[in-house]
Amino acid sequence: MSHETVYAIASGKGGVGKTTTTVNLGTALAGAGERVAIVDADLGMANLAGFVSLSPDSTTLHDVLAGDASVDDATYRITDNIVAVPSGTSLDEYADTSPEGLRDVVAELREEFDYVFLDVGAGVSHETVLPLGLADAVVLVSTPEPAAVHDSKKTLELTERAGGEVAGLVVTRTRPESDVSYEEIATRLETPLLGTVPEDPAARESVYAGTPLVVYEPDGPAAVAYRRLAADLTGIDVPAPGAESDSADGDDIDDGDDGAPADADEADEADGREAAHDDVSSAITEAETDP
């Protein structure tokens, strides 16, 4: 098993599949029995709130970073073994946050969960750079398009300046008929190629169905790629379709009595704050579907 437990999922350009990658890596590992936390570290442009069907007065990471709430208060159960810590969408709340508090948040989650995934915002800002140095490793996500690859180079440089380590590159929306060499892209960026995720119509369908791709169509090409990536990244044996636990069944997601997380205390603390299954779609629709 990898010694790395906190991963920052980052990209230089928005809309390349960063949040989709975060969600599916986390879901794949949760299906393998690992306890997983997904944190929306994009403080300014949060898009994981849909996972937890937040009401206007719900507690979010913004409240934690403003010193008004605990991490537990902002932690919401999605399904078996996986929780989300969403950021708020209010600009006023964002203005009250202290990004430096993310250090304590990550430290606390690191102690409670087997794996923590930080969904990092694109661009260059203090709150974008900070998670790159807090994580054990950074997973860089890019499409093959030149603009996305160019911006990935900037993220690599930012990670170095933040004192972080890049695990490697994931190239999304690949096509078998393309003459682009994905290994060559990674070589140009001077980082290992962790894997590729093929273009798959099921990816968009899964968003609107409100179900992570690895659950929605587990034997599809993109889902297979995400499970393989999760296994290669962590050294965990991620189950194939048919071998997955009942917790992966979408019909069980909202049932708080069956398949509680490995730590029963975590289930109790998150009771009453479970995610609505059909609200997962709003977490990634705006940012990561094609125009």
Side-chain angles (χ1 to χ4, degrees):
M1 174 177 158
S2 170
H3 68 283
E4 296 161 339
T5 59
V6 179
Y7 290 92
I9 312 300
S11 64
K13 186 177 184 297
V16 299
K18 174 175 55 61
T19 301
T20 299
T21 297
T22 303
V23 169
N24 283 285
L25 286 178
T27 303
L29 289 171
E34 301 299 308
R35 295 169 302 159
V36 179
I38 295 174
V39 182
D40 193 342
D42 188 351
L43 302 180
M45 299 292 287
N47 63 2
L48 279 180
F51 266 94
V52 290
S53 194
L54 293 183
S55 62
D57 60 347
S58 294
T59 303
T60 70
L61 182 59
H62 283 174
D63 297 301
V64 178
L65 298 183
D68 297 328
S70 69
V71 177
D72 283 344
D73 292 335
T75 299
Y76 299 81
R77 182 182 178 214
I78 299 175
T79 184
D80 294 352
N81 298 331
I82 185 168
V83 302
V85 182
S87 284
T89 56
S90 165
L91 290 179
D92 289 337
E93 292 176 352
Y94 167 67
D96 292 336
T97 63
S98 174
E100 287 295 332
L102 191 60
R103 296 181 185 276
D104 294 333
V105 172
V106 171
E108 184 171 334
L109 292 174
R110 183 192 292 274
E111 294 299 318
E112 296 181 10
F113 294 90
D114 299 316
Y115 290 95
V116 179
F117 291 93
L118 308 177
D119 187 12
V120 183
V124 180
S125 65
H126 179 56
E127 61 262 29
T128 295
V129 176
L130 181 62
L132 302 179
L134 296 179
D136 296 324
V138 175
V139 175
L140 192 63
V141 180
S142 177
T143 62
E145 281 68 33
V149 174
H150 177 74
D151 285 349
S152 295
K153 182 65 175 177
K154 297 177 184 177
T155 303
L156 285 166
E157 294 172 355
L158 288 173
T159 300
E160 182 178 349
R161 294 186 183 187
E165 297 288 339
V166 175
L169 173 71
V170 175
V171 182
T172 60
R173 298 179 185 168
T174 62
R175 299 177 183 273
E177 70 276 10
S178 173
D179 58 359
V180 175
S181 169
Y182 309 119
E183 285 283 0
E184 184 178 331
I185 291 176
T187 298
R188 290 207 311 266
L189 292 174
E190 299 181 342
T191 192
L193 179 65
L194 296 176
T196 62
V197 180
E199 186 77 56
D200 187 346
R204 177 190 286 266
E205 295 168 9
S206 73
V207 171
Y208 289 103
T211 308
L213 181 61
V214 294
V215 175
Y216 178 78
E217 190 158 335
D219 56 353
V224 169
Y226 277 125
R227 285 200 311 276
R228 183 183 302 117
L229 176 61
D232 291 346
L233 191 65
T234 65
I236 296 296
D237 182 16
V238 177
E244 294 177 342
S245 65
D246 291 341
S247 66
D249 190 332
D251 293 337
D252 294 336
I253 285 183
D254 285 332
D255 189 344
D257 296 326
D258 294 332
D263 187 335
D265 291 337
E266 290 171 13
D268 292 339
E269 290 167 359
D271 187 34
R273 305 200 305 275
E274 290 187 37
H277 177 60
D278 59 359
D279 280 334
V280 174
S281 58
S282 63
I284 40 184
T285 300
E286 293 183 4
E288 301 198 340
T289 54
D290 293 333

